[in-house]
Amino acid sequence: MKGFTVALLAWTLISPCKGSSGSGSREAWPTHIACRDGGLEMLYQSCDPLQDFGFSVDQCSKHLKPNINIRFGIILREDIKELYLDLALFSKGSSVLNFSYPVCEESLPKFSFCGRRKGEQIYYAGPVNSPGFDIPEGKYQVLLELYTENRSTVACANATVICS
Amino acid sequence: MMAPDISRFLLAVLFSASCRVIIASDQICIEKEANKTYNCENFGLSEIPDTLPNTTESLEFSFNFLPAIQNRTFSRLINLTFLDLTRCQISWIHEDTFQGHRQLSTLVLTGNPLIFMAETSLNGPKSLKHLFLIQTGISDLKFIPVHNLENLESLYLGNNHISSMKLPKAFPTRNLQVLDFQNNAIHYFSREDVRSLGQATHLSLNFNSNDIKAIEPGAFGSTVFQSLNFGGTFNLSVIFDGLQNSTTQSLWLGTFEDMYDQDVSSDMLRGLCEVSVESLNLQKHHFSDFSSTTFRCFTRLQELDLTATHLSELPSGIEGMNSLKKLVLNANNFDQLCQVNAASFPSLTHLSIKGNMKKLQLGVGCLEKLGNLRKLDLSHSDIEASDCCNLPLRNLSHLQSLNLSYNEPLGLQHQAFKECPQLELLDLAFTRLRVNPPQSPFQNLLFLQVLNLSHCFLDTSNQQLLAGLPVLRHLNLRGNPFRDGTIPKTNLFQTVGSLEVLILSSCALLSIDQQAFHSLRNISHVDLSHNSLTGDSMASLRHLKGIYLNVAANNIRIIPPRLLPILSQQSTINLSHNPLDCTCSNIHFLTWFKENLHRFEGPEDTLCTNPPSLRGVKLSDVQLSCGITALGIFFLIVFLFLFTVLLIFAVKYLLRWKYQHI
């Protein structure tokens, strides 16, 4: 009986130790729905091993309007005086589109959140200057990455867009 | 009898488990500079690891777990100068937390849900210079303990709930240079608020994203500022009214994509007449009635930034802007360079029209009135010209720096930059250039020192391409292929003997002639990375000494012994990402590599590829012995023995034969 107690004690003490060592393989972040409406479904999952983030798109539709409004919530792990977005679009496993877009630059901070610092929590609800277009039917994989001038990741998302 | 044994065993397990935690935390912190700089970010640590040396000076400890910090939390690390405690879930900072930290100069507390800071919580440091209290939930500036802030140079208070910038009476401002209130809830300034800044002069104040609704007229009057930022404020006249009679070096009044935007009228800008400003930024505003009168109060400006202000034209006939030195018109909608009406700004030394949203036509002589222009940036503007650049750049005789990178194809004729003979820097990267051999487009740029021609799709077989550049020091030819992948004996470098830095990476090179760089006597930096060169190409560097040589990501397998003296005379070499051979056929190089490890850049990526058993092993870890093997020695002895026996028999037989026939 005594042995069992000690074993239990040992187990409870060891278990959190493993957690704090940070070496254990962590479950992937959950998949969230960015929008689901008008024949369009957008799902995403954070691919930053350190944290999840929140994202949603207003007025979801396969006839995407220009300058759509989004909501975005995240904790910054880097200063974002300079912030860049890389987007890679795949359809049926082959690459369709790749582009890189400066979001914040020292000479042109486009958004009011530019210049915020590491550790700040950001909530952005507002427009992104996107073009309007019709999304052809199909299933698309999108890889989005926000990073700083040192190529340090600010946010990373694996998204799936299903248009039916 | 059994139970105590088991419990003793389990106790041992328990003990070893707690040991493991310490070992684990030892691995957690990354040493950036031995005994001085450590990074322990993102590990949920609840205390300072015992393994950090007492000599630690700079500690990045963000994203850990320290609900309360107190006197003993950091007591061991008395040499700390920089401490980053971003998002450590700190609620309490108790008395005398930093009492022993005499050297501490920067303290970052961003993103902690602070409930209370004790009166003496910041006491101790001799000169605390930088304090970050961003997003710590502060609503009242009295929250900050003032006892040890006499030496404070910058205070960051962004993203809090502050509604008044008024500093408490006891707040020392004597050394303050930066006061940052970004993204708070300050809507109003009174004279008294600004007066609380006390003796501070040449202060940089940041009120970006505060939605300022009113300022008591002249509140900022007769104070001298380094910079003021009221970014995101749409009613500019409110700001100008408040700034009456003030003096500031730089005033940032731009807005953002996500801000509600009211058009700026010329009336709103009238207030600028009462303010003394050297540099003004109005990025992303819309102007409702843009005309020459809009600029009536801009006459004292030296720098004006109108980035992304939806301009398709600057009005002609702007008067009195003789003092403007720098004009930024990036990301606008000009069709023609002449629409800038540059003649209004005769003193201009810097002009930037980068990232124009439409295809920009260069026109003829649009900038010819800018005789003082030193620096011109026309990059990323979709410029296309079949005959560049003498007509568009007419009369820019003082131009020193020209950036035409990231444009559409440009045709360059002989002496294409004759109009700007003073050029020192020319950047044409990622702009396709059309040059007909044997023309020399850069002829007579007698002062050109830096030339960036990366990814210009040049005809590198044109030997006269770089003729007429007597003092060129830095040449970037990255991404320009050479014919047959070879740099021949006679080549375009023969005319640029003054080169010090030469970049030939990603040029699809297979080989370089031994004499190819013969005329380059002053070179100190050669980048040949990302080609398909072999070790033999190194012979072309025979006459060079003490250079930085980058041959990373090539096809180098074996470096023959005759080439080792050439490498020995260079100061730094990067051989990483090559398919290096680690067999005995390369033994001379391998031995030499280990003796000269200090010369090598990126040794952790300098790996063996052959033999398969050593693939991926660091070159510095390879142990080879390439003498005769034991088996070889055995056979040699056997062979010698048999030979001796045979010889003896032969001699014996010969003697016997001889004696028998006497």
Side-chain angles (χ1 to χ4, degrees):
Chain A
M1 200 57 210
K2 196 176 165 193
F4 176 74
T5 322
V6 176
L8 195 74
L9 179 72
W11 183 76
T12 46
L13 278 170
I14 294 166
S15 308
C17 290
K18 274 185 181 164
S20 69
S21 74
S23 58
S25 64
R26 202 205 322 246
E27 278 180 52
W29 300 110
T31 302
H32 308 285
I33 300 164
C35 76
R36 183 186 272 166
D37 207 2
L40 191 71
E41 187 174 351
M42 249 188 241
L43 306 170
Y44 74 93
Q45 185 183 31
S46 168
C47 41
D48 179 356
L50 289 173
Q51 64 175 6
D52 203 353
F53 68 89
F55 177 73
S56 81
V57 181
D58 300 354
Q59 305 125 20
C60 188
S61 150
K62 58 182 168 186
H63 312 289
L64 217 58
K65 290 188 189 117
N67 298 322
I68 50 167
N69 283 300
I70 62 154
R71 300 193 307 125
F72 181 62
I74 195 169
I75 289 172
L76 295 177
R77 293 193 173 252
E78 301 289 335
D79 292 357
I80 53 165
K81 200 160 218 159
E82 305 254 311
L83 183 70
Y84 304 91
L85 171 71
D86 271 14
L87 185 146
L89 177 68
F90 300 88
S91 171
K92 293 177 188 139
S94 54
S95 175
V96 180
L97 175 74
N98 272 303
F99 79 87
S100 188
Y101 173 81
V103 181
C104 301
E105 290 172 289
E106 198 138 24
S107 61
L108 176 51
K110 292 197 179 83
F111 294 90
S112 58
F113 56 75
C114 294
R116 298 283 183 81
R117 291 183 183 257
K118 180 178 98 175
E120 282 194 68
Q121 176 198 323
I122 281 196
Y123 173 70
Y124 176 77
V128 286
N129 51 355
S130 57
F133 57 93
D134 287 347
I135 303 171
E137 269 183 26
K139 188 175 173 182
Y140 306 92
Q141 299 293 326
V142 190
L143 184 67
L144 291 144
E145 200 185 352
L146 284 168
Y147 57 91
T148 66
E149 67 271 29
N150 318 318
R151 249 295 170 189
S152 311
T153 301
V154 172
C156 171
N158 259 323
T160 309
V161 179
I162 302 161
C163 186
S164 52
Chain B
M1 227 16 222
M2 272 307 268
D5 276 358
I6 292 171
S7 56
R8 227 172 277 151
F9 169 70
L10 283 168
L11 267 178
V13 169
L14 185 101
F15 208 73
S16 64
S18 54
C19 286
R20 212 173 54 205
V21 176
I22 292 167
I23 293 163
S25 54
D26 180 23
Q27 290 160 343
I28 281 168
C29 295
I30 299 157
E31 186 174 81
K32 289 177 135 185
E33 193 186 345
N35 299 326
K36 279 189 176 172
T37 308
Y38 290 86
N39 183 331
C40 307
E41 288 181 355
N42 299 313
F43 284 99
L45 300 171
S46 54
E47 58 179 11
I48 299 296
D50 292 341
T51 47
L52 278 185
N54 291 346
T55 50
T56 305
E57 289 176 15
S58 174
L59 181 59
E60 292 183 42
F61 205 72
S62 43
F63 301 98
N64 285 303
F65 182 64
L66 300 168
I69 54 175
Q70 51 202 305
N71 193 283
R72 63 170 186 275
T73 313
F74 309 103
S75 56
R76 201 167 53 80
L77 309 178
I78 52 164
N79 291 325
L80 280 179
T81 59
F82 174 92
L83 181 59
D84 185 348
L85 297 172
T86 296
R87 251 178 218 275
C88 282
Q89 303 181 44
I90 301 169
S91 296
W92 306 96
I93 305 180
H94 293 311
E95 289 80 3
D96 303 327
T97 299
F98 300 104
Q99 193 59 55
H101 302 87
R102 308 287 289 162
Q103 311 300 326
L104 190 67
S105 80
T106 304
L107 179 61
V108 185
L109 291 165
T110 301
N112 285 293
L114 298 180
I115 294 170
F116 191 74
M117 292 174 81
E119 205 67 8
T120 59
S121 59
L122 296 178
N123 285 14
K126 274 202 312 261
S127 75
L128 184 63
K129 287 188 177 153
H130 312 286
L131 182 58
F132 292 77
L133 289 167
I134 300 165
Q135 204 177 31
T136 46
I138 296 176
S139 55
D140 186 342
L141 291 175
K142 291 195 189 91
F143 184 88
I144 308 162
V146 292
H147 291 307
N148 192 26
L149 302 182
E150 289 83 15
N151 297 300
L152 207 62
E153 288 175 10
S154 48
L155 178 59
Y156 295 87
L157 293 164
N159 210 343
N160 281 303
H161 310 294
I162 299 164
S163 56
S164 163
M165 68 154 290
K166 190 179 173 188
L167 297 173
K169 267 216 174 70
F171 202 99
T173 53
R174 196 164 40 93
N175 291 306
L176 212 53
Q177 287 165 23
V178 176
L179 194 48
D180 191 328
F181 285 100
Q182 257 191 85
N183 200 33
N184 273 288
I186 302 173
H187 304 309
Y188 178 74
F189 295 96
S190 67
R191 281 166 189 265
E192 206 184 331
D193 290 344
V194 183
R195 215 175 289 143
S196 74
L197 295 172
Q199 319 102 311
T201 52
H202 298 281
L203 200 59
S204 292
L205 280 176
N206 190 346
F207 298 106
N208 201 339
S209 304
N210 268 287
D211 191 15
I212 286 141
K213 296 201 166 83
I215 305 180
E216 189 174 341
F220 287 84
S222 66
T223 320
V224 181
F225 295 98
Q226 178 63 37
S227 76
L228 288 171
N229 185 329
F230 292 98
T233 307
F234 65 85
N235 192 349
L236 297 183
S237 41
V238 166
I239 307 291
F240 291 129
D241 286 350
L243 292 182
Q244 267 175 39
N245 301 325
S246 69
T247 304
T248 173
Q249 214 269 316
S250 137
L251 180 59
W252 208 93
L253 296 175
T255 186
F256 306 101
E257 214 123 285
D258 50 308
M259 288 283 169
Y260 169 74
D261 194 24
Q262 189 187 20
D263 283 3
V264 174
S265 64
S266 301
D267 266 357
M268 277 184 189
L269 295 169
R270 219 171 35 200
L272 195 59
C273 284
E274 311 292 319
V275 188
S276 168
V277 180
E278 264 181 41
S279 164
L280 177 67
N281 188 316
L282 292 169
Q283 76 152 36
K284 283 202 159 283
H285 279 291
H286 282 268
F287 293 93
S288 56
D289 54 344
F290 214 70
S291 66
S292 58
T293 56
T294 309
F295 292 88
R296 222 169 38 126
C297 294
F298 286 44
T299 50
R300 283 182 288 177
L301 281 185
Q302 296 204 9
E303 297 183 18
L304 177 61
D305 191 326
L306 295 171
T307 295
T309 43
H310 319 272
L311 296 175
S312 52
E313 192 177 15
L314 279 186
S316 58
I318 299 170
E319 279 171 24
M321 286 197 69
N322 295 331
S323 54
L324 198 72
K325 296 274 192 298
K326 183 175 175 181
L327 179 60
V328 181
L329 297 168
N330 300 343
N332 280 301
N333 306 317
F334 300 105
D335 288 309
Q336 258 265 357
L337 198 51
C338 287
Q339 288 167 336
V340 169
N341 280 307
S344 308
F345 317 103
S347 308
L348 222 51
T349 59
H350 288 60
L351 176 63
S352 179
I353 309 175
K354 186 169 81 175
N356 197 55
M357 311 292 266
K358 289 182 178 171
K359 204 173 178 72
L360 184 67
Q361 306 283 331
L362 289 178
V364 176
C366 295
L367 305 177
E368 65 186 345
K369 296 282 164 60
L370 303 181
N372 292 310
L373 201 65
R374 300 288 193 274
K375 202 170 169 181
L376 177 60
D377 188 345
L378 294 169
S379 59
H380 295 271
S381 290
D382 265 346
I383 294 168
E384 190 170 0
S386 57
D387 182 9
C388 202
C389 299
N390 284 324
L391 291 177
L393 302 181
R394 193 151 74 193
N395 200 29
L396 297 183
S397 57
H398 287 97
L399 200 65
Q400 290 169 351
S401 164
L402 175 61
N403 189 346
L404 279 165
S405 62
Y406 295 91
N407 278 305
E408 295 298 310
L410 299 179
L412 300 182
Q413 312 293 331
H414 198 64
Q415 296 198 21
F417 300 93
K418 203 164 60 182
E419 292 286 330
C420 351
Q422 305 276 332
L423 269 188
E424 290 172 13
L425 185 151
L426 179 57
D427 190 348
L428 291 159
F430 290 90
T431 298
R432 191 182 281 256
L433 299 179
R434 302 221 165 95
V435 182
N436 292 328
Q439 293 191 329
S440 315
F442 311 112
Q443 185 83 48
N444 282 338
L445 290 178
L446 301 177
F447 303 99
L448 197 72
Q449 298 189 26
V450 181
L451 178 57
N452 189 348
L453 295 172
S454 57
H455 299 276
C456 287
F457 297 90
L458 288 163
D459 178 2
T460 47
S461 61
N462 176 4
Q463 287 176 33
Q464 294 305 309
L465 186 71
L466 301 172
L469 297 170
V471 297
L472 190 70
R473 290 193 293 124
H474 185 123
L475 174 64
N476 190 342
L477 280 172
R478 172 195 288 266
N480 289 289
F482 280 74
R483 189 177 289 176
D484 304 325
T486 301
I487 304 183
K489 188 175 171 185
T490 49
N491 55 47
L492 72 173
F493 303 118
Q494 263 141 359
T495 58
V496 279
S498 56
L499 271 193
E500 291 169 21
V501 178
L502 176 60
I503 297 164
L504 286 168
S505 60
S506 308
C507 288
L509 291 172
L510 296 166
S511 67
I512 300 173
D513 187 271
Q514 286 202 22
Q515 303 287 315
F517 298 142
H518 210 69
S519 53
L520 306 177
R521 299 252 157 224
N522 300 327
I523 216 110
S524 62
H525 179 119
V526 178
D527 185 350
L528 296 166
S529 61
H530 297 274
N531 285 300
S532 303
L533 296 169
T534 58
D536 290 329
S537 300
M538 239 68 94
S540 60
L541 307 167
R542 178 161 294 146
H543 62 294
L544 300 173
K545 287 194 175 63
I547 67 164
Y548 166 88
L549 171 65
N550 190 347
V551 279
N554 272 284
N555 197 22
I556 299 171
R557 293 168 194 277
I558 291 177
I559 297 180
R562 68 186 159 87
L563 296 179
L564 290 181
I566 300 175
L567 293 183
S568 297
Q569 64 200 23
Q570 315 310 348
S571 63
T572 310
I573 303 159
N574 190 334
L575 258 173
S576 62
H577 303 285
N578 274 292
L580 292 163
D581 191 297
C582 296
T583 62
C584 286
S585 46
N586 206 12
I587 185 68
H588 288 99
F589 166 69
L590 292 171
T591 317
W592 178 84
F593 180 86
K594 279 194 208 172
E595 286 163 4
N596 290 274
L597 208 54
H598 60 279
R599 290 176 203 273
F600 282 87
E601 189 183 66
E604 63 281 355
D605 294 317
T606 309
L607 312 170
C608 301
T609 300
N610 193 41
S613 58
L614 287 176
R615 181 183 291 261
V617 173
K618 275 193 266 177
L619 227 58
S620 50
D621 295 343
V622 171
Q623 298 281 351
L624 276 188
S625 59
C626 293
I628 294 176
T629 63
L631 199 69
I633 292 169
F634 174 75
F635 277 113
L636 195 70
I637 290 170
V638 170
F639 174 77
L640 282 173
F641 178 75
L642 287 175
F643 182 77
T644 318
V645 170
L646 206 74
L647 199 73
I648 290 168
F649 273 105
V651 169
K652 220 172 160 184
Y653 178 80
L654 201 76
L655 286 175
R656 194 179 292 167
W657 187 81
K658 238 182 173 177
Y659 282 117
Q660 276 176 357
H661 289 82
I662 286 179

